[in-house]
Amino acid sequence: MLGVGAYRTRNRPALSEVLPLPIGEMSWALTDHRDQSVRPTDWAGHPVMVFFGFTWCPDVCPTTLSDISLWLEDLGADANRLIVALISVDPERDTPAVLADYVSSFDPRIIGLTGPADEVAKAAADFRVTYRRVDKDGGDYTMDHTAGVFLFHPDGRFASIIDFHEDRRFAVPKIRRTLS
Amino acid sequence: MNHFLLAAALTLSAPAAMACETVAIGDLTVEHAWSKATIGAGRPGVFYVEITNTGSTDDALVGIATPAAGMPMLHETVVQDGIASMPHAMSIPVPASQSVQLSPGGYHGMLMGLTTALKEGDSFPVTLTFEKAGEVTVNVDVLSLRAEGPDCADAGQ
């Protein structure tokens, strides 16, 4: 609680550089896997759970999305108001159609978001997320990216992060705290 | 062969049983080999397996090969300062009297250059090369993209 208070007073730039912006102060414009445009203001009044990744990734991303699907199953209808989004850090390959194919394997409440490179960069900056392209032999590439799952309260305030290797038993209570 | 034995033989070759079969080479046992369905053949597949070294000599997994992919490699997912990266692993240690898992979020085989998309219910062979024990081939079950691993108790093992 102290941390959140300090970051909201604007006289602690060090903290505000690390924590994601409140959803309402974000400025990105992306497209979801159904080709609908999505802006941060569309999420007003909803608890939010966001994860950055890319569909090329064979390990971290499907693992995280499997975990998220299990958490949503645990939460049942309580999580129906929760916005759950995967934001692609690889918009070059992740078109809305590719994301549609990908998210269809997981809980139907998970949406995929992509868009022009500069809008993805804007989203990453708003969430304080790092990503970078790593070129491989033969013209292929992969992406390094922040692997945590970000949680926000319905009023848009940042709530917490579920780390990639965090004990999964703590995830559901963390999500539950954003739902009321 | 009577009908009962034929049915038993077919059951053993069914996909659900393959991930649960155990293959041994020297002091090593290899089991629970599985993969995830892919979107098309353009994206890499993944390979997970469990290796147990019951001997008193350290060994190491130094490579994988499969007809399913042109460029299979060993990788490790590393999360440092919250950022996930996937460096190439030259070899994966299999110390004496220990088990090593290639599993989601850690060591894994990355199957680049898939010859065909991996579909749930498919299976394909992967040959593992160990520094000391040599080569062994296992059958790999393709589970759903959402799967967290094979359910071997339900497969009757």
Side-chain angles (χ1 to χ4, degrees):
Chain A
M1 292 313 283
L2 251 183
V4 174
Y7 118 88
R8 291 177 74 198
T9 58
R10 294 195 176 205
N11 54 3
R12 296 278 188 89
L15 258 184
S16 68
E17 275 165 28
V18 181
L19 292 176
L21 288 179
I23 299 286
E25 290 177 26
M26 294 186 176
S27 59
W28 44 265
L30 296 169
T31 303
D32 74 11
H33 65 286
R34 298 185 191 95
D35 265 326
Q36 304 292 307
S37 84
V38 176
R39 291 179 157 277
T41 48
D42 298 332
W43 293 352
H46 288 269
V48 170
M49 179 156 76
V50 168
F51 164 69
F52 285 73
F54 63 117
T55 71
W56 208 269
C57 132
D59 185 50
V60 178
C61 309
T63 302
T64 301
L65 287 173
S66 298
D67 288 343
I68 289 175
S69 297
L70 287 175
W71 303 337
L72 292 175
E73 218 167 85
D74 261 21
L75 292 161
D78 291 351
N80 286 352
R81 280 184 50 74
L82 181 69
I83 305 272
V84 188
L86 159 71
I87 299 181
S88 174
V89 292
D90 185 15
E92 195 179 310
R93 295 187 291 204
D94 288 342
T95 61
V98 166
L99 287 176
D101 209 344
Y102 195 73
V103 297
S104 72
S105 299
F106 301 98
D107 190 285
R109 287 168 285 192
I110 301 171
I111 63 167
L113 292 177
T114 186
D118 57 334
E119 290 297 332
V120 169
K122 220 185 268 179
D126 287 347
F127 282 92
R128 314 307 189 212
V129 157
T130 304
Y131 65 102
R132 59 177 165 267
R133 178 179 161 140
V134 181
D135 286 302
K136 295 191 163 294
D137 296 342
D140 198 4
Y141 67 92
T142 180
M143 306 291 299
D144 291 356
H145 62 91
T146 303
V149 176
F150 295 87
L151 291 167
F152 295 85
H153 295 288
D155 62 5
R157 276 177 306 127
F158 169 67
S160 56
I161 292 177
I162 303 166
D163 287 325
F164 184 64
H165 281 133
E166 186 170 329
D167 189 324
R168 293 329 210 186
R169 281 172 303 178
F170 301 132
V172 169
K174 267 188 177 176
I175 300 166
R176 221 177 260 289
R177 280 197 288 276
T178 67
L179 297 182
S180 48
Chain B
M1 183 184 288
N2 68 31
H3 289 300
F4 180 77
L5 284 178
L6 181 64
L10 286 174
T11 307
L12 282 178
S13 66
M18 278 188 181
C20 302
E21 76 183 4
T22 299
V23 179
I25 178 167
D27 291 331
L28 304 183
T29 55
V30 179
E31 59 193 335
H32 302 158
W34 64 288
S35 179
K36 290 181 182 183
T38 62
I39 299 172
R43 283 168 166 64
V46 74
F47 167 65
Y48 299 121
V49 72
E50 192 177 326
I51 302 155
T52 303
N53 185 348
T54 57
S56 53
T57 314
D58 295 344
D59 207 332
L61 176 64
V62 293
I64 50 172
T66 175
M71 203 162 77
M73 295 173 83
L74 297 172
H75 280 262
E76 183 180 15
T77 294
V78 176
V79 180
Q80 198 166 13
D81 300 328
I83 297 168
S85 62
M86 215 173 50
H88 178 207
M90 290 305 288
S91 76
I92 297 173
V94 188
S97 309
Q98 285 188 37
S99 279
V100 170
Q101 291 194 341
L102 278 65
S103 61
Y107 285 120
H108 57 275
M110 183 163 168
L111 310 177
M112 285 177 288
L114 287 176
T115 48
T116 176
L118 301 179
K119 292 196 180 64
E120 186 177 352
D122 287 354
S123 70
F124 59 91
V126 166
T127 300
L128 297 88
T129 303
F130 294 97
E131 196 175 68
K132 298 196 177 99
E135 289 186 359
V136 64
T137 299
V138 291
N139 286 310
V140 181
D141 288 344
V142 181
L143 308 182
S144 81
L145 186 55
R146 192 183 158 170
E148 306 215 313
D151 196 347
C152 289
D154 284 353
Q157 298 293 303

